[in-house]
Amino acid sequence: MIIGFWSERAGIGSTTSNMIITGVMASKGTDREVILVQGKYDTLKLDYAFSPNIRNDILKEDFGYYNHPGIDDVLEKHMNDLYTQKDFDENLISVNQSNLLYMPGSIRNNPDLFRQKFQCVSQRFLEALKGLDKLIFIELDSGMEGLGQHMLNLLDLIVINIGQGRTSLYDLKKQPEFTEKSLFLMGRYDSNSKYNVKNLIRRYHIDQESVAVIPYSVKYQDSVNEGKTMEFVDRNYQCLKHEEDFSFFKEAEKASKMILKRVNAIGT
C-alpha cells in the first residue's frame, strides 16, 4: 500500500515532519511494516530524525559497501535495470528494532539532478512497490509537477498537507482523482486561529472524516532536528491530559488512525 504525502506549494504544509509523526504513530497502531521514504530532495532528511550521528559526509556503517545508500542506490538500480526487491529491503533501516523502517534520503548535493532522476524512474519505482504487504509512506515534491498522472494512478492514497491560513483547494476538489483517494492534514496547527479545521471543512465542503491536524510542538520539532524522534515519542506519547504535549499526541494519533482506517477500507 503506497501512501503519498504531498503539498500544493513548498514550505506551507510541514510535509516532512507530518509524515514522520504520522508514520511513527501508525507503526504503533498496526502490525504491518511502516516504511518512510523521501521521493524528493530535502535538507531535512529522514536520517536526521532518527539518528543524531548522521551527517551529509558520513555514511551509516550498515551501508559501508554502497557508494550511495538508501534512495540514491535504489534509483541508480532502476536507472540501470538492475533493481530487485532485495535492493529495496537492503536499503532500509529499522528504527529501534520496531516495525517502523526508513530509507536514507539522498546524500547528493544537486536537488535538480535528484528530481530529474526520480521523475525518470518514479513509475518503475512505485510499480515495484505495488502489492507489498507494507505501508509505504512516500514524500513527494510539492506542486503539480511532483504529482503527475502516472503518480496519481499508482498511489493508493494521497495525504495532502496544507498550511493553516488562506489556501486554495477549489481546483483540487474539482479533480475526481484527488477527491476519491485524498485525505487532508493541517500541520503546525493552532486551534486559536480563525483558520481552524471547522472553518476549513465548511469552506471547502470536506468530509470531516478526511481531515486531521498536527498541532505545533516545539519539543517534537527539536527532537526531529536532534535525531531523537523515537526517544521523544516513546517517552511522551502516553502523556496525561494536563501535560504539555497531550494535544499534540492526541491529534497525531487521530491522524494516523484516519490513514489506517482508509488503508483498511481500500484493502477490503
Side-chain angles (χ1 to χ4, degrees):
M1 191 73 68
I2 308 176
I3 300 118
F5 276 69
W6 175 84
S7 63
E8 191 178 8
R9 298 195 313 276
I12 64 167
S14 304
T15 310
T16 305
S17 58
N18 287 351
M19 184 177 77
I20 290 170
I21 190 58
T22 52
V24 170
M25 297 305 291
S27 72
K28 294 182 178 298
T30 181
D31 292 331
R32 297 165 72 179
E33 286 186 345
V34 177
I35 299 171
L36 307 182
V37 179
Q38 278 180 307
K40 60 173 285 190
Y41 185 91
D42 202 325
T43 53
L44 176 56
K45 296 176 174 55
L46 292 175
D47 324 35
Y48 299 172
F50 297 107
S51 174
N53 301 315
I54 292 180
R55 297 291 184 271
N56 273 336
D57 56 346
I58 300 175
L59 298 184
K60 193 169 177 64
E61 184 179 352
D62 298 357
F63 295 118
Y65 53 90
Y66 283 132
N67 291 325
H68 302 290
I71 188 69
D72 289 330
D73 182 71
V74 171
L75 297 185
E76 288 286 349
K77 295 287 176 58
H78 274 294
M79 290 285 290
N80 294 290
D81 294 323
L82 298 173
Y83 176 85
T84 67
Q85 181 59 47
K86 184 179 179 182
D87 293 310
F88 181 76
D89 294 335
E90 288 185 343
N91 278 287
L92 297 174
I93 295 179
S94 176
V95 179
N96 294 357
Q97 298 181 333
S98 67
N99 61 324
L100 178 70
L101 303 95
Y102 70 90
M103 180 172 288
S106 177
I107 63 171
R108 299 183 186 280
N109 294 317
N110 189 327
D112 290 334
L113 181 60
F114 176 85
R115 187 176 298 111
Q116 291 170 9
K117 184 168 290 188
F118 184 80
Q119 289 176 349
C120 180
V121 301
S122 59
Q123 184 162 351
R124 277 178 280 171
F125 177 59
L126 293 181
E127 284 176 346
L129 304 182
K130 293 288 284 185
L132 296 181
D133 187 28
K134 307 174 190 290
L135 302 183
I136 301 169
F137 288 29
I138 180 167
E139 183 184 7
L140 304 171
D141 252 333
S142 58
M144 294 308 298
E145 289 184 0
L147 195 62
Q149 188 62 50
H150 75 278
M151 196 79 76
L152 280 171
N153 294 338
L154 288 167
L155 294 172
D156 296 295
L157 181 63
I158 305 163
V159 179
I160 300 176
N161 294 261
I162 54 179
Q164 187 169 4
R166 290 188 178 275
T167 185
S168 177
L169 298 177
Y170 287 115
D171 291 339
L172 297 183
K173 290 290 292 178
K174 293 175 184 176
Q175 301 183 53
E177 60 268 36
F178 274 91
T179 306
E180 293 169 1
K181 58 170 62 176
S182 61
L183 298 173
F184 296 88
L185 190 56
M186 185 183 288
R188 293 176 175 263
Y189 182 72
D190 184 342
S191 60
N192 296 314
S193 170
K194 68 178 181 180
Y195 299 106
N196 56 50
V197 69
K198 290 182 179 178
N199 286 336
L200 177 79
I201 290 170
R202 183 172 62 251
R203 182 178 183 185
Y204 294 106
H205 307 290
I206 300 172
D207 180 0
Q208 64 179 357
E209 297 296 319
S210 298
V211 185
V213 302
I214 303 291
Y216 180 74
S217 165
V218 65
K219 289 184 178 179
Y220 167 63
Q221 295 298 331
D222 285 348
S223 73
V224 170
N225 291 327
E226 294 170 357
K228 298 178 180 179
T229 304
M230 288 305 296
E231 290 93 325
F232 168 72
V233 172
D234 288 341
R235 188 170 60 249
N236 296 289
Y237 83 99
Q238 292 183 322
C239 60
L240 301 177
K241 191 171 184 177
H242 67 275
E243 295 183 88
E244 181 180 356
D245 283 303
F246 176 79
S247 176
F248 171 77
F249 282 106
K250 181 183 75 171
E251 297 299 339
E253 184 176 28
K254 283 184 181 178
S256 69
K257 286 182 175 179
M258 175 183 72
I259 293 170
L260 291 175
K261 182 178 179 180
R262 182 68 68 88
V263 164
N264 292 334
I266 294 170
T268 58

